Amino acid sequence: WGGLKFLEAAHVKDVLAFLRILENPRDEVSWYRVLQLLPGIGDATARRAIDLIASMEWNPAAIARVSPPPRAREAHGGLMALVGTLTGEGAGDTPVSAQIAIIRTFYDAILRERYDRVEPRLADLDQLEVIAGNFPSRADFLSQLALEPPSATQDLATGTREDDDCLILSTAHSAKGREWDAVFVIWAVDGWFPSSRALKNDEETEEERRLMYVATTRARDHLVVAYPLNVYSSRHGSDYSMDQVSRFIDRGVREKMRRIAAYGAPTSASPHVAPGAPNDPAPPIDLRALLRGRFS
């Protein structure tokens, strides 16, 4: 649960719209999307442009006859050149991944102008190129995406017997109102949960606290709050930091939990139990009541 399906992301839809008008020039929805990527082109201008293309028997080259507003002239010229490249002689033999690469020579600048979080979006388009490399033609690629799009985790939670043994990944936001027998809250590191960005604002910090409450009350029977002791830098593998558990899992909460080290013997909440010794079953703990008092 949580996040967008890959094909629902706006930037992926944009690139696929270019491919669709090349495959089927009568696709008005895709024309409409592509034309509105150009600065200064709105509903009315896009509609007139589509009517002009339709009047010329849906020839993609008719885009050259469209009269763009002044703001869109440069981008319109780039779109004309792109259409010419991808519809010219021998263009049909160009691999699908190469076609996407050509589209991106025009589109990536638009993406940087229109959207935030540019780098993850560009990485999505890199992945789209990789996926396209597995298909022999543009038609096969588009058909396969329509019939069997990349699935998201939502597709697992149908309640059928086939789904009994699966791992469900969820954001804390999307977990609201749901329950599972066992829940693992991962990366409960101060600076990650709560996010260091949220700590600059009291209201955002409190929202992070509420999210931690949501995350830790989704479990019916088993709750594991996990965090790494050491985090190694991705750039300098020899450098690492000693991390602290989230401030929301304070001492009062930790005293009601059993602490287990991943590479050591389990330790009890009681300091008088020797590591590795058999522990008496602990009495049931009402986690919701405990955490409600801590987070309210």
Side-chain angles (χ1 to χ4, degrees), residues 141-165:
F141 175 58
L142 293 173
S143 296
Q144 185 68 18
L145 289 182
L147 294 173
E148 191 177 352
S151 61
T153 53
Q154 288 93 328
D155 297 338
L156 296 176
T158 60
T160 63
R161 292 192 62 82
E162 291 81 359
D163 297 335
D164 287 348
D165 186 19

Side-chain angles (χ1 to χ4, degrees), residues 9-284:
H11 50 289
V12 175
K13 285 184 174 181
D14 291 343
V15 172
L16 292 178
F18 285 97
L19 291 177
R20 289 190 173 110
I21 62 175
L22 294 168
E23 187 63 27
N24 176 21
R26 295 177 179 270
D27 188 338
E28 294 189 36
V29 173
S30 294
W31 271 116
Y32 196 75
R33 187 177 191 95
V34 166
L35 288 166
Q36 287 203 302
L37 291 174
L38 308 187
I41 292 187
D43 292 352
T45 306
R47 184 69 261 171
R48 287 195 299 270
I50 292 171
D51 289 342
L52 175 60
I53 295 168
S55 70
M56 299 185 67
E57 300 182 349
W58 296 102
N59 182 352
I63 191 68
R65 301 286 297 275
V66 173
S67 179
R71 285 180 56 201
R73 284 175 185 164
E74 182 178 352
H76 176 251
L79 180 59
M80 285 192 299
L82 175 64
V83 170
T85 299
L86 291 174
T87 58
E89 186 176 354
D93 297 328
T94 306
V96 189
S97 58
Q99 293 180 40
I100 294 176
I102 293 170
I103 290 168
R104 292 186 61 187
T105 62
F106 171 72
Y107 174 74
D108 281 9
I110 295 175
L111 183 151
R112 289 187 172 92
E113 182 68 27
R114 292 174 66 93
Y115 299 117
D116 59 359
R117 300 178 61 250
V118 170
E119 290 306 319
R121 294 178 188 271
L122 292 174
D124 283 345
L125 299 185
D126 292 340
Q127 183 65 15
L128 189 66
E129 286 188 46
V130 172
I131 295 171
N134 297 319
F135 294 88
S137 70
R138 186 171 57 214
D140 289 336
F141 175 58
L142 293 173
S143 296
Q144 185 68 18
L145 289 182
L147 294 173
E148 191 177 352
S151 61
T153 53
Q154 288 93 328
D155 297 338
L156 296 176
T158 60
T160 63
R161 292 192 62 82
E162 291 81 359
D163 297 335
D164 287 348
D165 186 19
C166 65
L167 177 67
I168 298 171
L169 300 180
S170 174
T171 62
H173 278 100
S174 299
K176 292 179 181 178
R178 301 182 183 276
E179 284 188 332
W180 294 276
D181 291 339
V183 169
F184 291 76
V185 180
I186 62 174
W187 275 94
V189 173
D190 213 69
W192 287 79
F193 202 166
S195 167
S196 57
R197 296 179 181 178
L199 298 177
K200 298 177 182 178
N201 182 290
D202 290 343
E203 185 176 342
E204 291 183 6
T205 302
E206 286 307 303
E207 175 62 18
E208 293 279 290
R209 187 190 303 273
R210 287 189 286 270
L211 283 175
M212 177 64 84
Y213 173 76
V214 168
T216 52
T217 54
R218 300 307 92 199
R220 296 188 188 98
D221 303 314
H222 306 283
L223 170 66
V224 175
V225 178
Y227 71 101
L229 293 177
N230 301 332
V231 174
Y232 288 84
S233 168
S234 59
R235 293 187 178 182
H236 307 288
S238 59
D239 297 336
Y240 68 92
S241 60
M242 300 291 290
D243 281 331
Q244 298 291 332
V245 68
S246 170
R247 66 190 63 192
F248 300 147
I249 310 297
D250 62 21
R251 186 174 300 277
V253 174
R254 293 198 301 273
E255 287 175 352
K256 302 298 183 181
M257 303 177 78
R258 188 159 64 105
R259 188 166 191 169
I260 300 175
Y263 299 104
T267 58
S268 168
S270 169
H272 304 295
V273 178
N279 298 326
D280 293 332

